[in-house]
Amino acid sequence: DNQSPAKDEL
Amino acid sequence: MNIFRLAGDMTHLFSVLVLLLKIHTIKSCAGISLKTQELYALVFATRYLDIFTDYISLYNTCMKLIFLGSSFSIVWYIRRHKIVRRSYDKEQDTFRHHFLILPCIILALLINEKFTVKEVMWTFSLYLEAVAILPQLVLLQRTRNIDNLTGQYIFLLGAYRSLYILNWIYRYFTEQHYVHWITWISGLVQTLLYADFFYYYFHSWKNNEKLQLPA
């Protein structure tokens, strides 16, 4: 999983 | 997306709109730190590198483009616009903002989740955003009279940071494996920097006085 959830934030 | 996150994004958006409104309609950037605005432009440029590689949502992409576009146009206005640039307080805005960048680069190289170019740049943007408001706060302390729009701009920025913390608390309890120490600590540091300003902002609001910071 290289897309950590924080990356969906601005 | 939860309500805190949405409210946080909206106050962030409003803060930028208030600033653009001030610059565009009054043709003045008095009380605004160019140093802070340059740091924000750098923050967004290094954070949103994924705009071309990872698609998250239309909302996400639009907001990223707005923050990139607005931050660079604000810098352009203050530096190049023939009327706006005259109101820039160069003598007061003396914070050595370049000295904030190097420690953030070093910290991002040492403390990151993954040692890749994109990840280090992203981490750098978090560290830099945490301290980017400092030149603005220093300028504010020197400016005796803070106009309403400048006060509202900084208040909205602080509100955005506070709402993001509520968003993280909410996500921590509602999502699995949601632990992001780097984001949280740098976000917390950033929010604490507004504490002093908030104190005087609410004080002047409560007493219906003009906002003034102690020297």
Side-chain angles (χ1 to χ4, degrees):
Chain A
D1 177 33
N2 54 13
Q3 185 69 54
S4 72
K7 300 287 193 293
D8 65 19
E9 290 175 354
L10 299 158
Chain B
M1 184 159 54
N2 62 67
I3 188 71
F4 303 113
R5 160 76 200 284
L6 183 65
D9 284 351
M10 289 306 116
T11 42
H12 194 188
L13 186 64
F14 283 139
S15 74
V16 175
L17 291 180
V18 163
L19 187 52
L20 273 172
L21 183 83
K22 175 184 158 91
I23 292 175
H24 189 80
T25 59
I26 310 173
K27 295 279 183 288
S28 163
C29 62
I32 298 299
S33 166
L34 174 64
K35 312 279 174 100
T36 284
Q37 297 306 319
E38 285 180 343
L39 292 178
Y40 279 140
L42 184 59
V43 163
F44 294 134
T46 48
R47 184 174 306 169
Y48 298 158
L49 286 174
D50 63 352
I51 201 163
F52 303 108
T53 54
D54 302 290
Y55 179 77
I56 295 157
S57 66
L58 183 64
Y59 170 83
N60 201 281
T61 306
C62 288
M63 291 294 270
K64 283 175 178 172
L65 288 172
I66 290 171
F67 287 132
L68 276 169
S70 57
S71 62
F72 278 92
S73 52
I74 289 166
V75 170
W76 178 85
Y77 260 118
I78 302 176
R79 279 183 168 275
R80 301 267 178 259
H81 190 280
K82 63 180 193 297
I83 302 169
V84 175
R85 62 190 282 190
R86 273 189 242 144
S87 58
Y88 173 52
D89 224 345
K90 202 176 179 178
E91 276 71 44
Q92 302 271 27
D93 192 20
T94 52
F95 196 95
R96 304 271 192 87
H97 67 323
H98 293 116
F99 288 115
L100 290 175
I101 298 172
L102 190 64
C104 291
I105 293 175
I106 294 168
L107 204 60
L109 287 168
L110 294 175
I111 307 170
N112 52 63
E113 280 181 20
K114 209 163 55 173
F115 198 72
T116 62
V117 174
K118 212 166 86 175
E119 193 66 26
V120 170
M121 295 281 256
W122 182 80
T123 314
F124 163 74
S125 81
L126 287 182
Y127 296 150
L128 190 64
E129 191 191 356
V131 291
I133 195 66
L134 284 174
Q136 179 64 66
L137 292 176
V138 169
L139 176 63
L140 215 58
Q141 290 248 306
R142 290 185 183 157
T143 317
R144 297 312 306 149
N145 291 310
I146 301 156
D147 65 88
N148 283 337
L149 286 177
T150 307
Q152 275 150 19
Y153 165 67
I154 296 155
F155 170 76
L156 286 167
L157 271 180
Y160 142 64
R161 293 317 312 176
S162 313
L163 286 161
Y164 253 66
I165 287 184
L166 296 178
N167 155 57
W168 295 328
I169 294 169
Y170 181 87
R171 289 186 81 168
Y172 177 77
F173 287 110
T174 53
E175 290 174 36
Q176 278 194 318
H177 312 298
Y178 189 74
V179 178
H180 295 284
W181 289 113
I182 294 175
T183 318
W184 292 351
I185 292 171
S186 47
L188 192 64
V189 169
Q190 189 180 355
T191 314
L192 288 174
L193 292 180
Y194 289 92
D196 199 49
F197 171 81
F198 271 147
Y199 174 80
Y200 292 105
Y201 188 89
F202 285 119
H203 190 79
S204 71
W205 178 72
K206 199 178 74 188
N207 300 333
N208 217 354
E209 289 166 351
K210 201 164 165 50
L211 176 62
Q212 267 196 338
L213 301 185

